[in-house]
mmCIF file of all heavy atoms in Angstrom:
data_model
loop_
_atom_site.group_PDB
_atom_site.id
_atom_site.type_symbol
_atom_site.label_atom_id
_atom_site.label_comp_id
_atom_site.label_asym_id
_atom_site.label_seq_id
_atom_site.Cartn_x
_atom_site.Cartn_y
_atom_site.Cartn_z
ATOM 1 N N ALA A 1 0.842 -1.248 0.049
ATOM 2 C CA ALA A 1 -0.029 -0.034 -0.007
ATOM 3 C C ALA A 1 0.948 1.213 0.045
ATOM 4 O O ALA A 1 0.623 2.191 -0.702
ATOM 5 C CB ALA A 1 -0.929 0.057 1.193
ATOM 6 N N ALA A 2 1.947 1.285 0.816
ATOM 7 C CA ALA A 2 2.864 2.400 0.891
ATOM 8 C C ALA A 2 3.558 2.625 -0.412
ATOM 9 O O ALA A 2 3.768 3.678 -0.909
ATOM 10 C CB ALA A 2 3.888 2.193 2.064
ATOM 11 N N LEU A 3 3.999 1.538 -0.995
ATOM 12 C CA LEU A 3 4.666 1.533 -2.315
ATOM 13 C C LEU A 3 3.757 2.023 -3.432
ATOM 14 O O LEU A 3 4.166 2.636 -4.422
ATOM 15 C CB LEU A 3 5.457 0.297 -2.691
ATOM 16 C CG LEU A 3 6.509 -0.221 -1.686
ATOM 17 C CD1 LEU A 3 7.114 -1.518 -2.048
ATOM 18 C CD2 LEU A 3 7.655 0.851 -1.675
ATOM 19 N N THR A 4 2.461 1.547 -3.395
ATOM 20 C CA THR A 4 1.619 1.948 -4.371
ATOM 21 C C THR A 4 1.405 3.439 -4.431
ATOM 22 O O THR A 4 1.324 4.075 -5.563
ATOM 23 C CB THR A 4 0.212 1.251 -4.155
ATOM 24 O OG1 THR A 4 0.311 -0.163 -4.223
ATOM 25 C CG2 THR A 4 -0.885 1.687 -5.192
ATOM 26 N N GLU A 5 1.350 4.131 -3.290
ATOM 27 C CA GLU A 5 1.223 5.515 -3.277
ATOM 28 C C GLU A 5 2.457 6.304 -3.870
ATOM 29 O O GLU A 5 2.368 7.265 -4.360
ATOM 30 C CB GLU A 5 1.132 5.988 -1.745
ATOM 31 C CG GLU A 5 -0.136 5.638 -1.087
ATOM 32 C CD GLU A 5 -0.244 6.085 0.328
ATOM 33 O OE1 GLU A 5 0.666 6.870 0.761
ATOM 34 O OE2 GLU A 5 -1.238 5.703 1.016
ATOM 35 N N ALA A 6 3.652 5.518 -3.846
ATOM 36 C CA ALA A 6 4.841 6.059 -4.555
ATOM 37 C C ALA A 6 4.912 5.755 -6.035
ATOM 38 O O ALA A 6 5.947 6.012 -6.658
ATOM 39 C CB ALA A 6 6.034 5.528 -3.810
ATOM 40 N N GLY A 7 3.880 5.025 -6.622
ATOM 41 C CA GLY A 7 3.940 4.810 -7.960
ATOM 42 C C GLY A 7 4.125 3.363 -8.330
ATOM 43 O O GLY A 7 4.105 3.011 -9.616
ATOM 44 N N PHE A 8 4.290 2.457 -7.368
ATOM 45 C CA PHE A 8 4.404 0.974 -7.770
ATOM 46 C C PHE A 8 3.025 0.405 -7.954
ATOM 47 O O PHE A 8 2.027 0.830 -7.437
ATOM 48 C CB PHE A 8 5.032 0.282 -6.575
ATOM 49 C CG PHE A 8 6.511 0.422 -6.366
ATOM 50 C CD1 PHE A 8 6.978 1.646 -5.691
ATOM 51 C CD2 PHE A 8 7.446 -0.388 -6.810
ATOM 52 C CE1 PHE A 8 8.344 1.914 -5.589
ATOM 53 C CE2 PHE A 8 8.851 -0.129 -6.732
ATOM 54 C CZ PHE A 8 9.173 0.957 -6.109
ATOM 55 N N ASP A 9 2.994 -0.550 -8.923
ATOM 56 C CA ASP A 9 1.722 -1.153 -9.323
ATOM 57 C C ASP A 9 1.898 -2.682 -8.982
ATOM 58 O O ASP A 9 2.657 -3.323 -9.637
ATOM 59 C CB ASP A 9 1.443 -0.938 -10.763
ATOM 60 C CG ASP A 9 0.030 -1.420 -11.141
ATOM 61 O OD1 ASP A 9 -0.678 -2.017 -10.305
ATOM 62 O OD2 ASP A 9 -0.283 -1.344 -12.317
ATOM 63 N N PHE A 10 1.055 -3.181 -8.091
ATOM 64 C CA PHE A 10 1.155 -4.602 -7.760
ATOM 65 C C PHE A 10 -0.085 -5.461 -8.268
ATOM 66 O O PHE A 10 -0.189 -6.626 -7.871
ATOM 67 C CB PHE A 10 1.231 -4.770 -6.207
ATOM 68 C CG PHE A 10 2.524 -4.098 -5.519
ATOM 69 C CD1 PHE A 10 2.448 -2.906 -4.992
ATOM 70 C CD2 PHE A 10 3.611 -4.866 -5.708
ATOM 71 C CE1 PHE A 10 3.616 -2.342 -4.496
ATOM 72 C CE2 PHE A 10 4.833 -4.274 -5.115
ATOM 73 C CZ PHE A 10 4.766 -3.010 -4.528
ATOM 74 N N THR A 11 -0.766 -4.942 -9.125
ATOM 75 C CA THR A 11 -1.788 -5.777 -9.817
ATOM 76 C C THR A 11 -1.254 -6.643 -10.832
ATOM 77 O O THR A 11 -0.121 -6.309 -11.416
ATOM 78 C CB THR A 11 -2.818 -4.858 -10.471
ATOM 79 O OG1 THR A 11 -2.237 -4.024 -11.473
ATOM 80 C CG2 THR A 11 -3.604 -3.972 -9.448
ATOM 81 N N ARG A 12 -1.818 -7.823 -11.060
ATOM 82 C CA ARG A 12 -1.281 -8.668 -12.166
ATOM 83 C C ARG A 12 -1.417 -8.025 -13.502
ATOM 84 O O ARG A 12 -2.408 -7.436 -13.932
ATOM 85 C CB ARG A 12 -2.186 -9.898 -12.158
ATOM 86 C CG ARG A 12 -1.872 -10.899 -10.998
ATOM 87 C CD ARG A 12 -0.567 -11.614 -11.124
ATOM 88 N NE ARG A 12 -0.216 -12.396 -10.017
ATOM 89 C CZ ARG A 12 0.895 -13.054 -9.884
ATOM 90 N NH1 ARG A 12 1.774 -12.964 -10.821
ATOM 91 N NH2 ARG A 12 1.153 -13.790 -8.846
ATOM 92 N N GLN A 13 -0.229 -8.030 -14.240
ATOM 93 C CA GLN A 13 -0.073 -7.340 -15.450
ATOM 94 C C GLN A 13 -0.454 -8.154 -16.689
ATOM 95 O O GLN A 13 -0.050 -9.328 -16.794
ATOM 96 C CB GLN A 13 1.300 -6.743 -15.581
ATOM 97 C CG GLN A 13 1.702 -5.850 -14.347
ATOM 98 C CD GLN A 13 0.996 -4.550 -14.422
ATOM 99 O OE1 GLN A 13 0.941 -3.835 -15.401
ATOM 100 N NE2 GLN A 13 0.398 -4.140 -13.256
ATOM 101 N N VAL A 14 -1.037 -7.573 -17.716
ATOM 102 C CA VAL A 14 -1.168 -8.125 -19.023
ATOM 103 C C VAL A 14 -0.561 -7.089 -19.992
ATOM 104 O O VAL A 14 -1.126 -6.101 -20.275
ATOM 105 C CB VAL A 14 -2.619 -8.376 -19.497
ATOM 106 C CG1 VAL A 14 -2.685 -8.971 -20.806
ATOM 107 C CG2 VAL A 14 -3.261 -9.352 -18.417
ATOM 108 N N PRO A 15 0.681 -7.274 -20.398
ATOM 109 C CA PRO A 15 1.437 -6.219 -21.150
ATOM 110 C C PRO A 15 0.761 -6.062 -22.543
ATOM 111 O O PRO A 15 -0.009 -6.971 -23.094
ATOM 112 C CB PRO A 15 2.865 -6.916 -21.366
ATOM 113 C CG PRO A 15 2.913 -8.017 -20.321
ATOM 114 C CD PRO A 15 1.547 -8.503 -20.172
ATOM 115 N N PRO A 16 1.033 -4.989 -23.238
ATOM 116 C CA PRO A 16 0.532 -4.798 -24.652
ATOM 117 C C PRO A 16 1.087 -5.850 -25.496
ATOM 118 O O PRO A 16 2.208 -6.520 -25.298
ATOM 119 C CB PRO A 16 1.129 -3.439 -24.953
ATOM 120 C CG PRO A 16 1.424 -2.734 -23.701
ATOM 121 C CD PRO A 16 1.801 -3.804 -22.779
ATOM 122 N N MET A 17 0.374 -6.136 -26.572
ATOM 123 C CA MET A 17 0.756 -7.209 -27.546
ATOM 124 C C MET A 17 2.206 -7.065 -28.023
ATOM 125 O O MET A 17 3.018 -8.008 -28.185
ATOM 126 C CB MET A 17 -0.219 -7.227 -28.660
ATOM 127 C CG MET A 17 0.045 -8.347 -29.710
ATOM 128 S SD MET A 17 0.268 -9.969 -28.958
ATOM 129 C CE MET A 17 -1.492 -10.211 -28.422
ATOM 130 N N ILE A 18 2.613 -5.791 -28.309
ATOM 131 C CA ILE A 18 4.065 -5.633 -28.817
ATOM 132 C C ILE A 18 5.004 -6.165 -27.746
ATOM 133 O O ILE A 18 6.082 -6.614 -28.072
ATOM 134 C CB ILE A 18 4.244 -4.165 -29.253
ATOM 135 C CG1 ILE A 18 5.574 -4.045 -29.980
ATOM 136 C CG2 ILE A 18 4.095 -3.234 -28.081
ATOM 137 C CD1 ILE A 18 5.724 -4.746 -31.197
ATOM 138 N N ASN A 19 4.717 -5.838 -26.371
ATOM 139 C CA ASN A 19 5.587 -6.338 -25.443
ATOM 140 C C ASN A 19 5.561 -7.861 -25.259
ATOM 141 O O ASN A 19 6.648 -8.445 -25.045
ATOM 142 C CB ASN A 19 5.164 -5.697 -24.098
ATOM 143 C CG ASN A 19 5.480 -4.218 -24.054
ATOM 144 O OD1 ASN A 19 5.387 -3.531 -25.029
ATOM 145 N ND2 ASN A 19 5.784 -3.728 -22.820
ATOM 146 N N ILE A 20 4.416 -8.463 -25.399
ATOM 147 C CA ILE A 20 4.325 -9.942 -25.370
ATOM 148 C C ILE A 20 5.172 -10.511 -26.486
ATOM 149 O O ILE A 20 5.867 -11.479 -26.278
ATOM 150 C CB ILE A 20 2.903 -10.327 -25.478
ATOM 151 C CG1 ILE A 20 2.057 -9.884 -24.277
ATOM 152 C CG2 ILE A 20 2.760 -11.793 -25.780
ATOM 153 C CD1 ILE A 20 0.593 -10.272 -24.247
ATOM 154 N N ILE A 21 5.129 -9.939 -27.706
ATOM 155 C CA ILE A 21 5.911 -10.527 -28.748
ATOM 156 C C ILE A 21 7.374 -10.362 -28.404
ATOM 157 O O ILE A 21 8.199 -11.231 -28.764
ATOM 158 C CB ILE A 21 5.553 -9.747 -30.039
ATOM 159 C CG1 ILE A 21 4.165 -9.980 -30.514
ATOM 160 C CG2 ILE A 21 6.621 -10.079 -31.202
ATOM 161 C CD1 ILE A 21 3.735 -9.092 -31.703
ATOM 162 N N GLY A 22 7.845 -9.291 -27.807
ATOM 163 C CA GLY A 22 9.197 -9.060 -27.414
ATOM 164 C C GLY A 22 9.600 -10.146 -26.316
ATOM 165 O O GLY A 22 10.745 -10.604 -26.443
ATOM 166 N N ILE A 23 8.734 -10.451 -25.416
ATOM 167 C CA ILE A 23 9.047 -11.458 -24.503
ATOM 168 C C ILE A 23 9.183 -12.762 -25.110
ATOM 169 O O ILE A 23 10.148 -13.564 -24.729
ATOM 170 C CB ILE A 23 7.930 -11.523 -23.397
ATOM 171 C CG1 ILE A 23 7.950 -10.110 -22.489
ATOM 172 C CG2 ILE A 23 8.116 -12.692 -22.404
ATOM 173 C CD1 ILE A 23 6.675 -10.030 -21.613
ATOM 174 N N VAL A 24 8.268 -13.080 -26.035
ATOM 175 C CA VAL A 24 8.377 -14.309 -26.749
ATOM 176 C C VAL A 24 9.677 -14.503 -27.476
ATOM 177 O O VAL A 24 10.398 -15.476 -27.513
ATOM 178 C CB VAL A 24 7.252 -14.542 -27.663
ATOM 179 C CG1 VAL A 24 7.484 -15.739 -28.598
ATOM 180 C CG2 VAL A 24 5.954 -14.723 -26.913
ATOM 181 N N LEU A 25 10.106 -13.355 -28.086
ATOM 182 C CA LEU A 25 11.464 -13.388 -28.802
ATOM 183 C C LEU A 25 12.655 -13.555 -27.859
ATOM 184 O O LEU A 25 13.575 -14.272 -28.162
ATOM 185 C CB LEU A 25 11.632 -12.055 -29.641
ATOM 186 C CG LEU A 25 10.600 -11.813 -30.868
ATOM 187 C CD1 LEU A 25 10.890 -10.361 -31.402
ATOM 188 C CD2 LEU A 25 10.942 -12.915 -31.868
ATOM 189 N N ALA A 26 12.481 -12.962 -26.655
ATOM 190 C CA ALA A 26 13.538 -13.161 -25.683
ATOM 191 C C ALA A 26 13.616 -14.600 -25.215
ATOM 192 O O ALA A 26 14.757 -15.170 -25.141
ATOM 193 C CB ALA A 26 13.332 -12.266 -24.467
ATOM 194 N N LEU A 27 12.510 -15.248 -25.017
ATOM 195 C CA LEU A 27 12.415 -16.660 -24.663
ATOM 196 C C LEU A 27 12.942 -17.554 -25.808
ATOM 197 O O LEU A 27 13.629 -18.529 -25.520
ATOM 198 C CB LEU A 27 10.962 -17.016 -24.308
ATOM 199 C CG LEU A 27 10.488 -16.480 -23.004
ATOM 200 C CD1 LEU A 27 9.014 -16.760 -22.841
ATOM 201 C CD2 LEU A 27 11.254 -17.028 -21.766
ATOM 202 N N LEU A 28 12.700 -17.186 -27.022
ATOM 203 C CA LEU A 28 13.205 -17.883 -28.147
ATOM 204 C C LEU A 28 14.645 -17.832 -28.213
ATOM 205 O O LEU A 28 15.427 -18.772 -28.583
ATOM 206 C CB LEU A 28 12.623 -17.379 -29.485
ATOM 207 C CG LEU A 28 11.098 -17.698 -29.733
ATOM 208 C CD1 LEU A 28 10.588 -17.120 -31.007
ATOM 209 C CD2 LEU A 28 10.931 -19.186 -29.752
ATOM 210 N N MET A 29 15.284 -16.640 -27.917
ATOM 211 C CA MET A 29 16.768 -16.557 -27.812
ATOM 212 C C MET A 29 17.322 -17.482 -26.747
ATOM 213 O O MET A 29 18.346 -18.221 -26.916
ATOM 214 C CB MET A 29 17.168 -15.083 -27.467
ATOM 215 C CG MET A 29 18.635 -14.977 -27.342
ATOM 216 S SD MET A 29 19.629 -15.585 -28.826
ATOM 217 C CE MET A 29 19.134 -14.301 -30.022
ATOM 218 N N LEU A 30 16.583 -17.581 -25.588
ATOM 219 C CA LEU A 30 17.009 -18.576 -24.565
ATOM 220 C C LEU A 30 16.834 -19.966 -25.132
ATOM 221 O O LEU A 30 17.677 -20.827 -24.791
ATOM 222 C CB LEU A 30 16.146 -18.363 -23.312
ATOM 223 C CG LEU A 30 16.369 -17.111 -22.500
ATOM 224 C CD1 LEU A 30 15.378 -17.030 -21.359
ATOM 225 C CD2 LEU A 30 17.846 -17.099 -21.905
#
């Protein structure tokens, strides 16, 4: 709660599609 007031976001995230594609590419490199 204290960190949320400072700008942190602790909700479960669903990144934009372009970010998801980037994550998949990173995993493919691994």
Side-chain angles (χ1 to χ4, degrees):
L3 293 177
T4 299
E5 293 180 5
F8 287 80
D9 185 358
F10 294 101
T11 58
R12 286 287 175 183
Q13 302 291 305
V14 179
M17 181 54 67
I18 188 67
N19 288 33
I20 290 177
I21 293 173
I23 295 171
V24 171
L25 291 175
L27 290 170
L28 289 177
M29 178 55 69
L30 290 173

